[in-house]
Amino acid sequence: MTNKKISLKEIVSHAKQYGFVFPSSEIYDGINAIYDYGQYGIYLKNNIKEYWWKSMIQINENIIGLDTSILMHPNVWKASGHVTKFKEIFLYNEDTKYSYRLDLLIENYFQTNLNKEKQLKNNIIKYLEKKLKRNEKDKILKLINQMKIIDPNQKKKWTKIYEYNLMFKIPLKEHEPENQNCYLRPETAQGIFTNFLNVLNTSKMKIPFGIAQIGKVFRNEIIARQFLFRMREFEQMEMQFFIHPNQEDKWLEYWKKKRFKWHLSLGLGEKKYRFYEHEQLAHYAKKAYDIQFKFPFGFKELEGIHSRTNFDLKNHEKYSKKRFRVFDKEKKKVYIPYIIEASVGLDRIFLAVFSSSLKKETIKDTKKERILLKINPALSPIKAAIFPLIRDKRLISYAKDIYNHLKVDFLLIYEENDSIGKRYRRQDAIGTPICVTIDFNTLKDKCVTMRFRDKMLQKRVLIKDLKREIKKETSMNKLFQLLR
Ligand code: GAP
């Protein structure tokens, strides 16, 4: 079998054609950077979620889970620094009406102009930082135009520069005073920090321990490109690990290694991942590493591992007047815990898994092409498809019995339309690892044919062994074993 390269356009089109991802509100021409998950998309997404959730809170006895609200008290975002600091600089062209985020424009420029020296890049970043600190935005605009860093899509120069907070404002009442506005949360982390005392009071957790949660977050990303990579509404899976301040380096290294191993366990290949240490830090971070993934458009951030120090808890102490302190038995004094954060976008993992599992193969013997989603069976949306060989009453009845018996344990598909070859191709395209066919021999020997997606090998198994065989092939336990 030979493999052919698949473009991002083909990935997006396959996701739509096979019920994984649809543009939101498509009947009204869609809305920029917002997507809906179709039937197979949500099954795959839920499997990724389940794997993350269990590997955080079930495997680690010192991590517990929470589910906090999207809307929070306005003071949360003042204390967290998001109201004043969660801003980005944008460049704008008044003719085309298009904007672009300055940091992404520069990143894009240096990625497509690889011959530009690292030194030059660093000098430009330093210059920009200096001008930003002094609020000299016009000088930035001048430099960008002098360097001919134009809009890569519209091929036009920039005419304006402005700053913009990425949070969506939600006034809960009409005529709400500006400082009382609520926001759609831009990270799930703050729900964890604001519940820190509740968790301490209601659980047996002692430092070091973690709190994990999965939830929707919202950011008004003006340039949204690259499919699910940069969305306005997306899901985060975040774990905040509370530690003693003198253990910051130890736990940062620990979580870097642990999360890297988790990503490798998905089986997408070690070469697709690398670490990147941030030079420019988010307002809350003291040290930050990205686990980057090789997406179809190059290496980009998949997960962030950050040391947030006691920045958040200290500020919540200040704003709420509650004490976020724990007792240090050795030193006989109280301290505010430090936090190591592991934060990953669920949609980015989805994109990583989906884009690198989609294969176009030419079959050696027949020279025919097939598209398959060579996804880890533990994550596959559908675990097995059950087919009667042809539409014969006796075969249909047998196949339906098997389907009804196994559906309690696995998410299955039953199909009887089209030729068996066409049915195989459809299942390959949505990543079903096993197809089970009931034929006339089944009526005599109580055996069925199992056909495996990747190598297209077939074997006969007794119906009574089918559950064990499917479980062996698709169980998530295989992934957990790789985490040891
Ligand atoms: N609490 C820390 C935090 O939110 P972040 O680096 O801004 O840190 C964490 O975001 C992760 O969320 C990223 O590594 C990425 O996987 C995901 N993410 C961020 N912005 C996103 C967007 N616009 N669309 C999809 N995923 C995004």
Side-chain angles (χ1 to χ4, degrees):
M1 265 174 287
T2 48
N3 272 322
K4 287 184 187 154
K5 214 171 154 34
I6 299 200
S7 67
L8 180 64
K9 206 170 154 199
E10 287 172 293
I11 291 163
V12 177
S13 141
H14 190 89
K16 182 165 176 231
Q17 190 186 346
Y18 285 92
F20 283 86
V21 182
F22 307 124
S24 163
S25 342
E26 200 185 3
I27 55 167
Y28 297 104
D29 294 333
I31 167 165
N32 203 6
I34 307 195
Y35 291 92
D36 295 336
Y37 283 86
Q39 64 277 31
Y40 301 124
I42 186 62
Y43 306 154
L44 166 55
K45 195 168 146 179
N46 280 345
N47 290 338
I48 299 170
K49 240 191 226 189
E50 183 188 337
Y51 179 45
W52 184 89
W53 185 253
K54 285 189 173 163
S55 46
M56 280 296 175
I57 66 150
Q58 194 167 311
I59 302 294
N60 300 293
E61 58 273 25
N62 61 348
I63 300 183
I64 53 144
L66 283 188
D67 180 25
T68 71
S69 55
I70 287 171
L71 294 178
M72 302 178 78
H73 192 284
N75 282 354
V76 169
W77 307 109
K78 290 179 200 158
S80 71
H82 282 78
V83 171
T84 50
K85 305 241 172 63
F86 197 54
K87 288 178 180 167
E88 292 293 345
I89 306 278
F90 288 86
L91 292 149
Y92 180 69
N93 179 296
E94 282 148 314
D95 295 331
T96 63
K97 311 263 182 280
Y98 276 92
S99 300
Y100 215 103
R101 226 169 89 176
L102 176 67
D103 60 333
L104 299 178
L105 186 73
I106 302 231
E107 187 188 311
N108 185 53
Y109 175 77
F110 280 101
Q111 239 170 31
T112 44
N113 295 274
L114 289 173
N115 53 344
K116 300 272 182 244
E117 290 165 38
K118 196 166 179 218
Q119 189 55 42
L120 175 63
K121 181 180 170 187
N122 290 342
N123 287 347
I124 290 173
I125 289 172
K126 273 197 195 125
Y127 176 87
L128 293 176
E129 275 172 355
K130 213 162 52 194
K131 299 294 159 208
L132 277 176
K133 248 189 209 148
R134 293 194 198 145
N135 209 12
E136 294 175 333
K137 291 199 202 64
D138 287 344
K139 294 210 169 131
I140 296 177
L141 177 65
K142 197 168 157 204
L143 174 76
I144 296 291
N145 281 333
Q146 264 171 5
M147 288 183 66
K148 300 195 173 52
I149 308 183
I150 56 168
D151 181 337
N153 303 317
Q154 305 302 314
K155 312 284 176 223
K156 291 273 172 142
K157 281 178 34 164
W158 305 106
T159 56
K160 250 187 167 175
I161 186 163
Y162 65 97
E163 206 172 27
Y164 189 82
N165 194 309
L166 297 190
M167 287 197 293
F168 285 101
K169 229 177 245 175
I170 303 288
L172 290 190
K173 283 191 258 145
E174 241 178 295
H175 314 300
E176 190 85 273
E178 179 72 20
N179 68 354
Q180 286 309 311
N181 273 322
C182 275
Y183 297 91
L184 292 178
R185 66 178 175 195
E187 61 170 2
T188 65
Q190 297 303 325
I192 294 179
F193 305 145
T194 51
N195 277 293
F196 175 70
L197 297 176
N198 285 334
V199 171
L200 273 190
N201 292 336
T202 55
S203 72
K204 297 259 174 285
M205 291 292 144
K206 294 252 175 329
I207 302 276
F209 74 92
I211 306 179
Q213 90 163 318
I214 300 177
K216 281 259 170 140
V217 300
F218 303 82
R219 294 181 189 180
N220 200 357
E221 303 277 6
I222 290 184
I223 13 141
R225 301 160 300 151
Q226 299 157 333
F227 195 30
L228 304 176
F229 184 79
R230 196 171 298 286
M231 296 156 87
R232 285 177 151 145
E233 174 180 340
F234 58 99
E235 250 175 299
Q236 277 187 332
M237 306 196 288
E238 296 199 296
M239 193 282 303
Q240 310 296 330
F241 202 70
F242 299 88
I243 56 166
H244 192 286
N246 66 16
Q247 306 230 302
E248 183 190 14
D249 290 341
K250 174 185 143 185
W251 286 112
L252 187 61
E253 280 311 304
Y254 175 89
W255 281 107
K256 272 170 64 189
K257 277 199 195 115
K258 193 140 170 133
R259 292 302 302 147
F260 202 76
K261 204 169 179 183
W262 186 90
H263 286 287
L264 291 188
S265 73
L266 299 178
L268 306 180
E270 197 162 349
K271 283 194 188 137
K272 295 241 170 172
Y273 298 90
R274 69 179 188 197
F275 271 113
Y276 169 79
E277 185 175 357
H278 271 264
E279 287 151 28
Q280 285 171 298
L281 296 167
H283 64 271
Y284 51 74
K286 186 173 137 208
K287 286 182 193 160
Y289 293 87
D290 286 348
I291 296 176
Q292 292 188 331
F293 184 78
K294 195 171 182 197
F295 287 100
F297 33 82
F299 272 103
K300 299 267 174 205
E301 175 182 349
L302 178 62
E303 169 153 358
I305 322 278
H306 312 133
S307 170
R308 294 182 78 127
T309 67
N310 59 9
F311 175 89
D312 300 273
L313 296 187
K314 205 170 65 191
N315 285 331
H316 284 305
E317 227 189 51
K318 194 168 128 200
Y319 275 78
S320 69
K321 310 274 185 278
K322 307 277 183 313
R323 278 171 71 79
F324 284 76
R325 312 236 165 168
V326 291
F327 189 65
D328 183 338
K329 274 187 192 156
E330 260 176 42
K331 299 207 167 125
K332 306 260 182 290
K333 59 177 192 186
V334 290
Y335 66 94
I336 304 178
Y338 267 35
I339 290 160
I340 304 295
E341 160 181 80
S343 170
V344 65
L346 174 55
D347 312 84
R348 282 196 191 171
I349 302 187
F350 182 106
L351 181 60
V353 170
F354 190 82
S355 60
S356 50
S357 305
L358 195 61
K359 311 275 176 205
K360 210 190 282 176
E361 285 183 354
T362 307
I363 302 164
K364 210 173 163 192
D365 303 337
T366 60
K367 299 277 175 280
K368 279 192 179 157
E369 200 164 78
R370 71 165 180 153
I371 301 256
L372 79 156
L373 196 62
K374 216 170 176 174
I375 205 167
N376 193 317
L379 301 180
S380 287
I382 301 288
K383 299 303 178 208
I386 313 289
F387 305 150
L389 181 65
I390 56 166
R391 295 181 74 181
D392 172 274
K393 252 190 186 163
R394 285 167 304 164
L395 299 190
I396 288 176
S397 157
Y398 236 93
K400 284 199 170 160
D401 275 354
I402 293 176
Y403 171 80
N404 284 326
H405 177 66
L406 292 175
K407 72 181 181 190
V408 188
D409 295 286
F410 310 103
L411 192 52
L412 304 173
I413 272 187
Y414 170 86
E415 269 207 340
E416 57 183 48
N417 291 332
D418 292 326
S419 71
I420 199 83
K422 271 195 183 158
R423 281 182 262 166
Y424 282 158
R425 290 295 99 85
R426 272 204 294 273
Q427 296 309 314
D428 287 345
I430 61 165
T432 308
I434 296 164
C435 291
V436 175
T437 305
I438 289 87
D439 57 26
F440 289 103
N441 283 334
T442 310
L443 307 179
K444 288 181 249 155
D445 64 6
K446 307 279 183 281
C447 285
V448 291
T449 303
M450 281 180 89
R451 180 258 192 194
F452 296 88
R453 179 195 65 202
D454 297 350
K455 300 216 161 112
M456 295 191 286
L457 294 177
Q458 302 195 353
K459 73 171 183 184
R460 296 284 288 176
V461 295
L462 280 164
I463 295 171
K464 71 174 178 56
D465 295 335
L466 207 45
K467 180 169 157 184
R468 197 187 60 214
E469 291 282 339
I470 300 175
K471 196 167 174 196
K472 194 172 87 190
E473 187 68 15
T474 63
S475 165
M476 219 172 248
N477 287 352
K478 278 189 183 170
L479 297 187
F480 291 121
Q481 277 159 20
L482 296 171
L483 298 181
R484 283 185 187 153

